[in-house]
Amino acid sequence: MSALSDRPVDPAVGLPVPHESAILHATGRAIFTDDLASRTAGVLTAWPVQSTHAHARVSVLRTDGALGVPGVVRVLTADDVPGINDSGIKHDEPLFPTEVMFYGQALCWVLAESTEAARLGADAVQVEYEVLTSVVTLSEAITAESFQGETRTVRRGDADAALAEAARVFEGESEVGGQEHFYLETQAALAQVEDDGRVFVQCSTQHPSETQAIVAHVLGLSSNAVTVQCLRMGGAFGGKEMQPHGFAAVAALGALLTGRPVRLRLTRTQDLTLTGKRHPFHASWRVGFSEDGLLLGLKATLTADGGWSLDLSEPVLSRALCHIDNAYWIPAIEARGRIVKTNKTSQTAFRGFGGPQGMFMIEDILGRCAPLLGIDPAELRRKNFYAPGQLTPYGQPVRHAERLGAIWTQLVHSSALARRTEEARAFNAASPHLKRALALTPVKFGISFNFTAFNQAGALVHVYKDGSVLINHGGTEMGQGLHTKMLQVASTALGVPLSAVRLAPTRTDKVPNTSATAASSSSDLNGGAIKNACDQILARMADVAGRMLGAHSQDVRFTRGRVSALGLGAGQDIGFAEVAGEAYLQRVQLWAAGFYRTEGLYWDQKAMQGEPFKYFAYGAAATEVEVDGFTGAYRVRRVDIVHDVGDSLSPIIDIGQVEGGFVQGAGWLTLEDLRWDAGDGPGRGRLLTQSASTYKLPSLSEMPDEFNVTLFERATEDGAIYGSKAVGEPPVMLALSVREALRQAVAGFGPAGHSVELASPATPEAVFWALTAARAAVEAEAPTQGTSGAERAPALTDT
């Protein structure tokens, strides 16, 4: 086992400790970015003037009216930008645009003494437009050939030949919608200018270093003149990886020009209309099977709706292509990916980062083809699992592939699959208007950033003379428990009690050039950096302790705040604080900068070949649902999950992440229906689901009656921090079992062998139309299998 994954005696990692800010959250004492504004004197508020067209040229922008509103101090426009008028990493996102690219885009920002004055000032700004042709839906963009970015292809073998030789061939289309992040805390920033001209920005951001870089280039400053700090976030889910940069830049620009602090905090409707979502995807596909249901070949084209600019659409698409196989061996595959440009918000990172959309496609294919093959869906999935020694389509060995089968077997037993399946059959036979079904789906999710350079992290660890410890690292806390895990890592590495370690806010002037807190890699990266820093300090302290104990430094042990040496009797140990104090007197350095880089990664982006992931996280879920044949309404009766997190760093945190990820995935697949006005009227391109009253989020009423989560045991991941595995994103895809269970329940209303077409999100309305089609198939007694070379599985329509 590697030194990185080896756990010492009596470690703090692995203990079920609560979230480090749990009490602060529960009592309302936790400070978030916008809370700082009330503690800062002379703060101005920024308010956007938003476009009322999806695509138009701004012909006139009159700001005089705003300046006449009492309390308005200034209106920020493109003319005020001293640096580069762009907030994107691709230089395709003007901060103050002259060409409107989506309905609701911010054209300029009003600064005022109060929120109300800023709002009234924005209402007083007059804008005249030259309306241009707009592309709103994904299907419109495909027809118009409105593409952006690079086209990528993952390829292995000869897919055309495999399909020509396959005994059974099916073709179809699949489409999955986007998803709103709907974090509790909206986008927020507070900017101030220090006495020496340095700009200090407090921001709700997952990527402080990139926020720093964007603010600097907008202001025409170098990075060392800008400091970005993130205290904590009230949720993010990927929505604060790229999206905060422009808002932080607006606040910083306002502070620079007025000499006063500027706060920018979006209302919920502003946040929904200004920020990007999960990418909707469309796929057309042909798939071939052997007579006994083994996958032989797949040819697919995936199209992602990127919105008005590229943002992170290219790496999202790449990850989708790298996860279209999910847990299944496909001998011959050709999956092509492309991105369309539409006049909507720029779609961005969202938990799973394209992985969920890729997995959705193969699970949709298997779910639709299983009845046509006459094979139970769970069995079709199991028999196509990767086996040890096999490679992904992009050439990476599927290490620990045997865990897929082990997890599946454990889940089959723990969920009582056989018994409950028979109970559901008996229930369905006696119930013409209610149908139940139980579905199992697996997950194989690659862990690491697509962009190899991002797989690095830094940390700064201080040991003080009294033995207390302060840690800084480059990761940000959005409620996911990263800080809790890092406290446990530092406590374990230094051999001190958890109570002796504190954590400082994430700041770019403490740990520079950090990667985003994303890709489920933050514990791996920042944990490795913290351990590296702690190991440096401990090596120095061991020399001091060895002299104090009369022992060799290699024999010194640090445990529970006590320092001992091999061969010494009981009672001869000394306190960690005593050693720290003596180290100071001996002028021994008690702080260290740690660094970690993920080894063994290689990725050729153009060829889409290599080993982009450190390891795979595995899991499986079994979901039982009940569907009402009159309305399409349904309820989730029970969920059982077995998930692989390696040796958990913090079990309570990890179980919470599995539960939360599953629920968020279920929301994406069954409830959360983004709607845009695609008509030709004046509201074309307007987001219609602008609040919680029109956008349905999962609530307690959607929770399963019974929810069982088990962490897979004996799963040490060698080469990862203390043998753990990432947990943030993989559980989202476990929710595919909910959609597949709904499909199987709907099939209960149709004839044997009926392939169910189910839109996504599978809202009660979508389920109702699916079961209506199933009943129609009974009446028509339509054949379920063709005899020609290709059989048409139902294709999803554009919803």
Side-chain angles (χ1 to χ4, degrees), residues 162-179:
L163 291 170
E165 297 170 5
R168 307 294 302 280
V169 177
F170 306 97
E171 62 182 2
E173 297 180 4
S174 301
E175 191 162 355
V176 62
Q179 185 178 20

Side-chain angles (χ1 to χ4, degrees), residues 196-248:
D196 62 353
R198 287 180 299 115
V199 178
F200 180 47
V201 181
Q202 308 233 45
C203 186
S204 185
T205 174
Q206 292 174 245
H207 202 343
S209 290
E210 197 165 79
T211 300
Q212 174 193 33
I214 296 297
V215 169
H217 87 225
V218 168
L219 300 185
L221 301 174
S222 56
S223 290
N224 66 357
V226 178
T227 297
V228 174
Q229 174 173 290
C230 178
L231 291 174
R232 57 169 61 85
M233 289 171 278
F237 312 117
K240 295 177 181 176
E241 182 173 348
M242 286 287 298
Q243 305 287 294
H245 307 336
F247 303 123

Side-chain angles (χ1 to χ4, degrees), residues 595-645:
F595 182 75
Y596 174 80
R597 53 173 283 175
T598 309
E599 300 292 345
L601 302 181
Y602 166 73
W603 184 238
D604 184 334
Q605 180 67 34
K606 290 186 177 180
M608 292 291 286
Q609 289 290 305
E611 297 191 20
F613 305 122
K614 176 67 174 176
Y615 54 80
F616 294 103
Y618 301 109
T623 297
E624 182 181 355
V625 300
E626 181 178 281
V627 171
D628 184 328
F630 291 110
T631 65
Y634 48 81
R635 67 187 181 99
V636 180
R637 289 171 48 82
R638 176 173 166 178
V639 173
D640 294 86
I641 292 171
V642 178
H643 195 71
D644 172 19
V645 298

Side-chain angles (χ1 to χ4, degrees), residues 11 16 25 33 63 72 113 175 210 213 218 235 251 275 307 318 358 361 376 419 428 566 587 654 683 699 729 752 778:
H25 286 303
T33 297
T63 62
V72 171
E113 301 285 355
E175 191 162 355
E210 197 165 79
V218 168
T275 65
S318 292
M361 299 307 169
D376 176 76
R419 173 180 60 79
N428 291 347
L566 298 178
R587 295 184 294 178
D654 284 346
S699 62
E729 294 171 302
V778 173

Side-chain angles (χ1 to χ4, degrees), residues 369-572:
C369 292
L372 301 176
L373 291 165
I375 301 175
D376 176 76
E379 175 59 18
L380 180 62
R381 291 181 166 93
R382 185 204 62 77
K383 73 190 306 178
N384 280 289
F385 281 170
Y386 275 106
Q390 291 178 331
L391 308 180
T392 64
Y394 46 90
Q396 178 156 352
V398 183
R399 193 160 54 88
H400 295 153
E402 68 280 357
R403 289 189 187 178
L404 280 166
I407 288 170
W408 192 264
T409 299
Q410 181 177 332
L411 181 64
V412 165
H413 289 297
S414 65
S415 66
L417 176 67
R419 173 180 60 79
R420 290 170 56 213
T421 299
E422 287 304 317
E423 289 174 353
R425 285 174 181 160
F427 176 88
N428 291 347
S431 174
H433 304 304
L434 289 174
K435 301 294 182 183
R436 294 176 181 173
L438 179 61
L440 278 68
T441 58
V443 162
K444 174 188 68 66
F445 189 82
I447 302 298
S448 288
F449 282 95
N450 295 54
F451 184 49
T452 304
F454 283 170
N455 295 287
Q456 60 174 299
L460 184 62
V461 177
H462 297 166
V463 172
Y464 293 96
K465 291 183 292 182
D466 63 356
S468 62
V469 180
L470 182 69
I471 61 174
N472 277 95
H473 63 88
T476 56
E477 176 62 49
M478 61 193 88
Q480 83 279 34
L482 174 63
H483 283 353
T484 307
K485 288 185 173 183
M486 296 304 95
L487 289 168
Q488 290 178 271
V489 166
S491 172
T492 299
L494 291 173
V496 298
L498 197 55
S499 59
V501 187
R502 295 198 66 175
L503 191 142
T506 309
R507 285 176 62 114
T508 56
D509 60 355
K510 295 295 185 292
V511 181
N513 308 323
T514 56
S515 299
T517 301
S520 303
S521 297
S522 299
S523 291
D524 288 358
L525 297 175
N526 294 288
I530 287 173
K531 186 175 185 300
N532 175 253
C534 291
D535 288 347
Q536 294 176 50
I537 296 169
L538 220 57
R540 301 180 197 128
M541 291 183 69
D543 288 337
V544 176
R547 292 191 290 270
M548 295 172 71
L549 294 168
H552 194 283
S553 61
Q554 293 184 351
D555 293 333
V556 173
R557 298 292 182 268
F558 294 79
T559 309
R560 289 187 176 182
R562 304 298 297 176
V563 184
S564 60
L566 298 178
L568 296 183
Q572 296 187 53

Side-chain angles (χ1 to χ4, degrees), residues 17 268 273 329 375 388 459 509 513 558 574-575 644 680:
V17 301
R268 179 61 63 187
T273 55
W329 165 249
I375 301 175
D509 60 355
N513 308 323
F558 294 79
I574 54 180
D644 172 19
D680 294 326

